[in-house]
Short mmCIF file of all heavy atoms in Angstrom, two decimals:
data_model
loop_
_atom_site.label_atom_id
_atom_site.label_comp_id
_atom_site.label_asym_id
_atom_site.label_seq_id
_atom_site.Cartn_x
_atom_site.Cartn_y
_atom_site.Cartn_z
N ARG A 180 70.42 47.34 15.60
CA ARG A 180 71.03 47.20 16.93
C ARG A 180 72.01 46.03 16.97
O ARG A 180 71.79 44.96 16.38
CB ARG A 180 69.96 47.00 18.00
CG ARG A 180 69.00 48.18 18.14
CD ARG A 180 68.39 48.24 19.53
NE ARG A 180 67.65 47.03 19.86
CZ ARG A 180 67.19 46.76 21.08
NH1 ARG A 180 67.41 47.60 22.09
NH2 ARG A 180 66.51 45.65 21.31
N LEU A 181 73.08 46.25 17.72
CA LEU A 181 74.09 45.22 17.97
C LEU A 181 73.79 44.56 19.30
O LEU A 181 73.70 45.22 20.33
CB LEU A 181 75.49 45.85 18.00
CG LEU A 181 76.65 44.88 18.24
CD1 LEU A 181 76.83 43.95 17.05
CD2 LEU A 181 77.94 45.65 18.51
N HIS A 182 73.64 43.23 19.27
CA HIS A 182 73.35 42.46 20.49
C HIS A 182 74.59 41.80 21.06
O HIS A 182 74.69 41.58 22.27
CB HIS A 182 72.27 41.42 20.20
CG HIS A 182 70.91 42.01 19.95
ND1 HIS A 182 69.91 42.02 20.90
CD2 HIS A 182 70.40 42.64 18.87
CE1 HIS A 182 68.83 42.62 20.41
NE2 HIS A 182 69.11 43.00 19.17
N ALA A 183 75.52 41.45 20.21
CA ALA A 183 76.81 40.86 20.60
C ALA A 183 77.71 40.96 19.38
O ALA A 183 77.24 41.25 18.28
CB ALA A 183 76.64 39.41 21.04
N ALA A 184 79.01 40.75 19.58
CA ALA A 184 79.93 40.82 18.45
C ALA A 184 79.45 39.91 17.32
O ALA A 184 79.23 38.72 17.52
CB ALA A 184 81.33 40.42 18.89
N GLY A 185 79.23 40.51 16.15
CA GLY A 185 78.77 39.76 15.00
C GLY A 185 77.27 39.54 14.94
O GLY A 185 76.77 38.95 13.98
N ASP A 186 76.53 40.03 15.93
CA ASP A 186 75.08 39.82 15.99
C ASP A 186 74.34 41.14 15.82
O ASP A 186 73.97 41.80 16.80
CB ASP A 186 74.72 39.15 17.32
CG ASP A 186 73.23 38.81 17.41
OD1 ASP A 186 72.52 38.97 16.41
OD2 ASP A 186 72.79 38.39 18.50
N LEU A 187 74.15 41.55 14.57
CA LEU A 187 73.42 42.77 14.24
C LEU A 187 72.01 42.39 13.82
O LEU A 187 71.81 41.45 13.05
CB LEU A 187 74.11 43.49 13.07
CG LEU A 187 75.16 44.54 13.36
CD1 LEU A 187 75.79 44.99 12.05
CD2 LEU A 187 74.58 45.73 14.09
N ARG A 188 71.03 43.17 14.30
CA ARG A 188 69.64 42.87 13.95
C ARG A 188 68.87 44.16 13.70
O ARG A 188 69.19 45.21 14.25
CB ARG A 188 68.95 42.11 15.09
CG ARG A 188 69.66 40.89 15.61
CD ARG A 188 68.90 40.30 16.79
NE ARG A 188 69.75 39.45 17.61
CZ ARG A 188 69.37 38.96 18.80
NH1 ARG A 188 68.17 39.24 19.27
NH2 ARG A 188 70.21 38.21 19.51
N MET A 189 67.84 44.05 12.89
CA MET A 189 66.86 45.11 12.76
C MET A 189 65.75 44.82 13.76
O MET A 189 65.07 43.80 13.67
CB MET A 189 66.29 45.18 11.34
CG MET A 189 67.30 45.59 10.28
SD MET A 189 68.14 47.18 10.59
CE MET A 189 66.74 48.29 10.75
N ASP A 190 65.59 45.69 14.75
CA ASP A 190 64.63 45.49 15.83
C ASP A 190 63.54 46.54 15.78
O ASP A 190 63.74 47.67 15.30
CB ASP A 190 65.33 45.60 17.19
CG ASP A 190 66.33 44.49 17.44
OD1 ASP A 190 66.18 43.41 16.82
OD2 ASP A 190 67.25 44.70 18.25
N SER A 191 62.39 46.17 16.30
CA SER A 191 61.32 47.13 16.56
C SER A 191 61.36 47.45 18.05
O SER A 191 61.18 46.56 18.89
CB SER A 191 59.96 46.55 16.17
OG SER A 191 58.92 47.48 16.44
N ILE A 192 61.64 48.72 18.38
CA ILE A 192 61.77 49.12 19.78
C ILE A 192 60.95 50.38 20.05
O ILE A 192 60.42 51.00 19.12
CB ILE A 192 63.25 49.39 20.14
CG1 ILE A 192 63.82 50.53 19.28
CG2 ILE A 192 64.09 48.13 19.98
CD1 ILE A 192 65.24 50.95 19.67
N GLU A 193 60.85 50.75 21.30
CA GLU A 193 60.09 51.94 21.66
C GLU A 193 60.81 53.21 21.20
O GLU A 193 62.04 53.29 21.26
CB GLU A 193 59.88 52.00 23.18
CG GLU A 193 58.89 50.98 23.72
CD GLU A 193 58.59 51.22 25.19
OE1 GLU A 193 59.05 52.25 25.74
OE2 GLU A 193 57.89 50.38 25.78
N VAL A 194 60.03 54.18 20.77
CA VAL A 194 60.59 55.50 20.47
C VAL A 194 61.07 56.12 21.77
O VAL A 194 60.34 56.12 22.76
CB VAL A 194 59.53 56.41 19.81
CG1 VAL A 194 60.06 57.83 19.65
CG2 VAL A 194 59.11 55.84 18.46
N PRO A 195 62.31 56.62 21.84
CA PRO A 195 62.82 57.17 23.10
C PRO A 195 62.10 58.46 23.49
O PRO A 195 61.60 59.19 22.64
CB PRO A 195 64.30 57.44 22.79
CG PRO A 195 64.36 57.61 21.31
CD PRO A 195 63.31 56.70 20.75
N THR A 196 62.07 58.71 24.78
CA THR A 196 61.48 59.94 25.32
C THR A 196 62.62 60.84 25.76
O THR A 196 63.47 60.41 26.55
CB THR A 196 60.56 59.64 26.51
OG1 THR A 196 59.51 58.78 26.08
CG2 THR A 196 59.98 60.93 27.08
N PRO A 197 62.68 62.08 25.28
CA PRO A 197 63.79 62.96 25.68
C PRO A 197 63.70 63.36 27.15
O PRO A 197 62.61 63.64 27.66
CB PRO A 197 63.62 64.18 24.76
CG PRO A 197 62.17 64.19 24.40
CD PRO A 197 61.75 62.75 24.34
N LYS A 198 64.86 63.38 27.81
CA LYS A 198 64.93 63.90 29.18
C LYS A 198 64.82 65.42 29.13
O LYS A 198 64.75 66.02 28.06
CB LYS A 198 66.26 63.48 29.82
CG LYS A 198 66.43 61.97 29.96
CD LYS A 198 67.80 61.63 30.51
CE LYS A 198 68.02 60.13 30.57
NZ LYS A 198 69.39 59.78 31.02
N SER A 199 64.81 66.04 30.29
CA SER A 199 64.59 67.49 30.36
C SER A 199 65.60 68.28 29.54
O SER A 199 65.27 69.31 28.95
CB SER A 199 64.61 67.97 31.81
OG SER A 199 65.89 67.74 32.39
N ASP A 200 66.85 67.79 29.48
CA ASP A 200 67.90 68.51 28.77
C ASP A 200 68.21 67.91 27.41
O ASP A 200 69.29 68.10 26.86
CB ASP A 200 69.18 68.54 29.62
CG ASP A 200 69.71 67.14 29.93
OD1 ASP A 200 68.98 66.15 29.70
OD2 ASP A 200 70.86 67.04 30.40
N GLU A 201 67.25 67.20 26.82
CA GLU A 201 67.45 66.55 25.53
C GLU A 201 66.36 66.96 24.54
O GLU A 201 65.33 67.54 24.91
CB GLU A 201 67.42 65.02 25.70
CG GLU A 201 68.56 64.45 26.50
CD GLU A 201 68.45 62.95 26.67
OE1 GLU A 201 67.32 62.42 26.66
OE2 GLU A 201 69.50 62.30 26.82
N VAL A 202 66.60 66.63 23.27
CA VAL A 202 65.59 66.77 22.23
C VAL A 202 65.42 65.43 21.53
O VAL A 202 66.34 64.59 21.53
CB VAL A 202 65.97 67.85 21.19
CG1 VAL A 202 66.06 69.22 21.85
CG2 VAL A 202 67.27 67.51 20.48
N LEU A 203 64.26 65.23 20.96
CA LEU A 203 64.00 64.05 20.14
C LEU A 203 64.11 64.47 18.68
O LEU A 203 63.47 65.43 18.24
CB LEU A 203 62.60 63.49 20.43
CG LEU A 203 62.20 62.25 19.60
CD1 LEU A 203 63.08 61.06 19.97
CD2 LEU A 203 60.73 61.93 19.81
N ILE A 204 64.96 63.76 17.94
CA ILE A 204 65.22 64.09 16.54
C ILE A 204 64.69 62.98 15.65
O ILE A 204 64.99 61.79 15.87
CB ILE A 204 66.74 64.27 16.30
CG1 ILE A 204 67.27 65.42 17.15
CG2 ILE A 204 67.03 64.50 14.82
CD1 ILE A 204 68.79 65.51 17.16
N LYS A 205 63.90 63.35 14.66
CA LYS A 205 63.48 62.41 13.63
C LYS A 205 64.61 62.34 12.62
O LYS A 205 64.94 63.34 11.97
CB LYS A 205 62.18 62.87 12.97
CG LYS A 205 61.65 61.91 11.91
CD LYS A 205 60.31 62.39 11.35
CE LYS A 205 59.79 61.49 10.23
NZ LYS A 205 59.56 60.12 10.68
N VAL A 206 65.22 61.18 12.48
CA VAL A 206 66.40 61.04 11.64
C VAL A 206 66.00 61.12 10.17
O VAL A 206 65.06 60.45 9.72
CB VAL A 206 67.12 59.71 11.92
CG1 VAL A 206 68.35 59.57 11.03
CG2 VAL A 206 67.52 59.61 13.40
N HIS A 207 66.72 61.95 9.43
CA HIS A 207 66.49 62.06 7.99
C HIS A 207 67.42 61.12 7.24
O HIS A 207 66.99 60.32 6.41
CB HIS A 207 66.73 63.50 7.53
CG HIS A 207 66.68 63.66 6.03
ND1 HIS A 207 65.50 63.70 5.34
CD2 HIS A 207 67.67 63.74 5.10
CE1 HIS A 207 65.75 63.83 4.05
NE2 HIS A 207 67.06 63.85 3.86
N ARG A 208 68.71 61.22 7.54
CA ARG A 208 69.71 60.39 6.87
C ARG A 208 70.84 60.10 7.83
O ARG A 208 71.21 60.95 8.64
CB ARG A 208 70.24 61.09 5.61
CG ARG A 208 71.15 60.22 4.78
CD ARG A 208 71.65 60.95 3.54
NE ARG A 208 70.69 60.89 2.44
CZ ARG A 208 71.01 61.20 1.18
NH1 ARG A 208 72.25 61.62 0.89
NH2 ARG A 208 70.11 61.11 0.22
#
């Protein structure tokens, strides 16, 4: 995740929940 210009971090965040018109995709690559 990018927090500010030049500030990239690896974060632990919540898995998103899909809205009614969305799908949740497990990223392969």
